[in-house]
Amino acid sequence: IRAGWLIDGKGGPVRQNVRIAVKDGIIAGLRDAPAEPEGYLPEAIPDFSGCTAIPGLVDSHVHLTMRGSADEELRKRLRAASYESIRRVIGDHLQDHLNHGVVAVRDGGGVRGYALRCARGYPGPVCVRAAGRAWHREGRYGRLIGRPPAEGLGVAEAIRQDGERGDHLKIVNSGLNSLTEYGKQTAPQFDLAEMSAAVKAAAERGLSVMVHANGAEPVRVAVAAGCRSIEHGFFMGKDNLARMADKGVAWVPTVVTMSAYARIFEQTGRNPDVARRTLDHQLDQLAIARRLGVTVALGTDSGSPGVEHGAAVIEELQLFMQAGYSLPEAIPCAAVNGARLTGGEFGLIEPGRPATFVIVEGSPSALPESLKRVRAVFIDGIRHVETG
């Protein structure tokens, strides 16, 4: 396959005029090839000389059973819909992801576990990793995406007794961000002893733990307990980011959610100032994470109000770049870092890796906007999106 430009996902410089050799679904070789006269290439060689190749992308935090609509009545109907109806919705959402170059998603939970159920029988090309139902403390935030332990059980024992086998475990350890009171933080739902026991119980089942946590103390507890990733992490502070860098804990910042809320509030006549200030603070934290070397994985929280599946990846990448990431630095966050969270071997374009990559129109200067114009998505060497 000939590509005009190549971003291999390692964070290095862009390469130009590259041949990607694919054999049996694996990248067999890469070599620079000088520009050749028009019509020189044999018809058997796909020619994307006016396009850019990037690794297949991962959205590391989605809610497949939810639409990105801000219409609360629609959102309520979806929460009450049958599994068969939701299965079709999930299929639509996965196609939306694929059309924007996303080859894998990591679902953050739903109250009925439909995303996990659907993933088990999903025949499509997008890799789906799902938590099933999340865990939260009785009376605290989380009922839309999970459930509390049964009465009399601690969260660790509830995890051990649970018959639901997800691909990872989701624990909620804070509340939501306030959209009316800037910087408001909530207490941890589980203390360090409880969270440590929960992470240990998950490990006994072979599961890593993703933790919804905002604010300094809920994040500190989750990191100290040994979680795999912090989801959201609004207002967690530099000290927590340093701890995450030291421990190798990944951060999925979901910045685009605050941008979406600011737009919704502007459109509906509500005050968007808190959402805007929260967005700016998260961008500041993202800049600090870049300097400290925190492993950051792109996740959009798609399915949240105003956050559309697939398309939101474009804005999240733009926000990463606004925070100081170059395009070659942002792509690994959206590719190999997410692939590691989902257990995939893809995420880099290099020999020996799966031939899983995306072809977008134009040069790298058109990215990430050109993800609206995906020419091809190759997964394990098979082309699944074909336009132009």
Side-chain angles (χ1 to χ4, degrees):
I1 294 169
R2 183 184 180 102
W5 296 267
L6 178 110
I7 299 175
D8 63 14
K10 298 178 183 178
V14 176
R15 293 172 64 174
Q16 192 167 1
N17 293 321
V18 177
R19 292 277 190 92
I20 307 170
V22 176
K23 183 177 181 180
D24 298 329
I26 302 295
I27 297 172
L30 297 173
R31 71 176 179 89
D32 295 332
E36 293 158 338
E38 185 176 352
Y40 175 82
L41 288 176
E43 289 186 5
I45 299 178
D47 183 11
F48 297 107
S49 54
C51 301
T52 301
I54 62 173
L57 304 181
V58 181
D59 192 332
S60 292
H61 191 122
V62 307
H63 293 282
L64 289 172
T65 63
M66 304 178 190
R67 289 203 186 278
S69 172
D71 182 345
E72 187 53 36
E73 288 304 313
L74 171 61
R75 300 180 70 82
K76 286 179 180 177
R77 288 198 299 273
L78 281 175
R79 291 197 289 270
S82 68
Y83 171 70
E84 285 303 316
S85 295
I86 293 299
R87 189 168 64 86
R88 290 190 290 272
V89 168
I90 291 173
D92 290 343
H93 290 163
L94 289 172
Q95 187 63 51
D96 290 337
H97 281 288
L98 187 65
N99 290 343
H100 289 85
V102 175
V103 301
V105 297
R106 184 167 168 254
D107 191 86
V111 68
R112 292 184 287 180
Y114 281 175
L116 176 61
R117 181 178 170 187
C118 184
R120 292 294 176 261
Y122 172 62
V126 177
C127 172
V128 181
R129 296 287 182 259
R133 294 177 294 167
W135 293 100
H136 67 90
R137 184 174 292 283
E138 181 71 52
R140 293 288 304 272
Y141 165 73
R143 66 182 180 85
L144 293 181
I145 57 172
R147 77 292 203 197
E151 187 174 354
L153 285 184
V155 65
E157 189 56 34
I159 290 167
R160 289 190 179 94
Q161 293 185 19
D162 186 34
E164 183 176 272
R165 173 71 190 194
D167 298 304
H168 49 266
L169 201 77
K170 172 78 173 287
I171 298 178
V172 181
N173 203 40
S174 74
L176 289 171
N177 276 319
S178 173
L179 294 169
T180 58
E181 185 177 344
Y182 174 74
K184 181 180 179 181
Q185 300 185 29
T186 58
Q189 296 198 21
F190 303 103
D191 63 24
L192 180 56
E194 292 173 304
M195 184 65 76
S196 297
V199 170
K200 180 181 178 182
E204 291 169 2
R205 301 185 61 191
L207 302 175
S208 63
V209 178
M210 62 188 296
V211 180
H212 165 115
N214 297 306
E217 187 60 14
V219 172
R220 186 195 69 79
V221 166
V223 171
C227 72
R228 179 71 181 88
S229 68
I230 295 295
E231 312 296 311
H232 316 304
F234 291 93
F235 302 109
M236 63 178 165
K238 184 177 180 180
D239 288 348
N240 275 319
L241 286 166
R243 293 185 188 102
M244 291 166 68
D246 289 343
K247 287 178 169 285
V249 175
W251 179 32
V252 184
T254 64
V255 193
V256 68
T257 54
M258 288 300 114
S259 180
Y261 272 119
R263 280 195 297 273
I264 291 169
F265 283 12
E266 287 171 354
Q267 293 165 2
T268 57
R270 297 172 64 184
N271 188 344
D273 289 351
V274 170
R276 286 177 181 157
R277 291 177 65 193
T278 303
L279 168 62
D280 290 342
H281 188 275
Q282 192 74 327
L283 290 173
D284 289 343
Q285 290 198 139
L286 194 52
I288 294 168
R290 176 178 174 269
R291 293 196 297 270
L292 292 176
V294 177
T295 298
V296 179
L298 181 146
T300 64
D301 209 3
S302 56
S304 295
V307 185
E308 299 291 348
H309 290 274
V313 168
I314 297 172
E315 186 174 1
E316 187 77 359
L317 277 168
Q318 290 169 335
L319 290 167
F320 272 54
M321 294 168 71
Q322 188 176 327
Y325 285 76
S326 66
L327 179 64
E329 290 173 331
I331 291 296
C333 298
V336 68
N337 291 352
R340 288 168 181 156
L341 286 178
T342 59
E345 294 297 320
F346 55 92
L348 297 172
I349 302 178
E350 65 177 4
R353 296 272 182 172
T356 297
F357 50 86
V358 179
I359 306 290
V360 296
E361 288 185 5
S363 72
S365 64
L367 281 162
E369 191 73 16
S370 58
L371 286 167
K372 294 177 180 176
R373 300 183 300 279
V374 168
R375 286 284 302 277
V377 178
F378 290 89
I379 299 177
D380 296 331
I382 298 172
R383 188 171 179 175
H384 290 279
V385 173
E386 186 164 353
T387 63

